[in-house]
Amino acid sequence: RLDLEPCFEPQSCMPSGLLGGHALNARDSCIFVTSQGLRTGLHSDERHGVLLHVSGAKSFVLIPPEDSDADPAALAQLLQLRGTPGDHETLYGDPPHGSVPALRRVRRFQGSLRPGDGLFIPQRWLHDIESKTATISASLRFGNWDAPNDPKFGIQQ
């Protein structure tokens, strides 16, 4: 992880109206350089993010908060995937991982990223990103980090 804060002048690189007026948070934006097979583990963030993919191949899984937050027991099951070994095809494919019944009841948006692609990740959406090859991506975060340490959302400060 390489921090981007030294690269940005405050308010100089993003229009102020982008993402509902949320300014780029240069302090929490970074560049990820990853090896093949690395997964983030299923989690959510309390602010919007944009993943700009530069090199290599990645896959992603997104689960909207209205599916995951509605049932605390289902959310607890889903978050078990954070520490479960395996690739996206094994964990989130059809049929989904047998030990996580909640996966059968939630919408999963899945896709891949190639160089030049970008992925918008709305706040509170569960997501899991897997590097299919060695990769380089820039993660741009918007807004301030003001979420409490809340295991419900799978985040920690």
Side-chain angles (χ1 to χ4, degrees):
R1 174 187 162 127
L2 304 171
D3 293 328
L4 293 178
E5 187 172 21
C7 302
F8 293 114
E9 292 294 321
Q11 306 296 325
S12 66
C13 61
M14 293 285 178
S16 61
L18 188 64
L19 295 176
H22 296 285
L24 176 69
N25 186 325
R27 185 192 58 180
D28 291 326
S29 296
C30 61
I31 294 175
F32 288 109
V33 179
T34 62
S35 58
Q36 180 177 352
L38 184 73
R39 275 187 40 234
T40 62
L42 193 66
H43 70 284
S44 68
D45 298 309
E46 278 295 308
R47 63 187 172 273
H48 299 303
V50 175
L51 186 66
L52 302 175
H53 194 59
V54 177
S55 176
K58 287 188 177 193
S59 63
F60 64 86
V61 176
L62 300 172
I63 299 173
E66 58 269 17
D67 288 2
S68 61
D69 290 355
D71 179 355
L75 180 59
Q77 284 181 15
L78 291 169
L79 291 178
Q80 289 175 12
L81 290 168
R82 293 181 76 167
T84 304
D87 60 18
H88 280 175
E89 290 78 19
T90 302
L91 296 174
Y92 301 102
D94 242 349
H97 196 271
S99 68
V100 184
L103 275 175
R104 290 183 175 82
R105 300 187 304 269
V106 298
R107 291 175 292 163
R108 297 182 312 278
F109 299 92
Q110 297 176 247
S112 60
L113 296 171
R114 302 277 181 227
D117 289 344
L119 175 65
F120 173 64
I121 304 172
Q123 66 186 28
R124 296 187 47 228
W125 280 55
L126 291 173
H127 55 283
D128 187 333
I129 311 292
E130 178 185 355
S131 295
K132 297 297 191 179
T133 66
T135 65
I136 301 173
S137 299
S139 176
L140 304 179
R141 308 290 173 93
F142 295 86
N144 292 322
W145 185 261
D146 56 4
N149 289 324
D150 189 342
K152 175 180 176 187
F153 298 116
I155 57 173
Q156 292 186 6
Q157 290 185 346

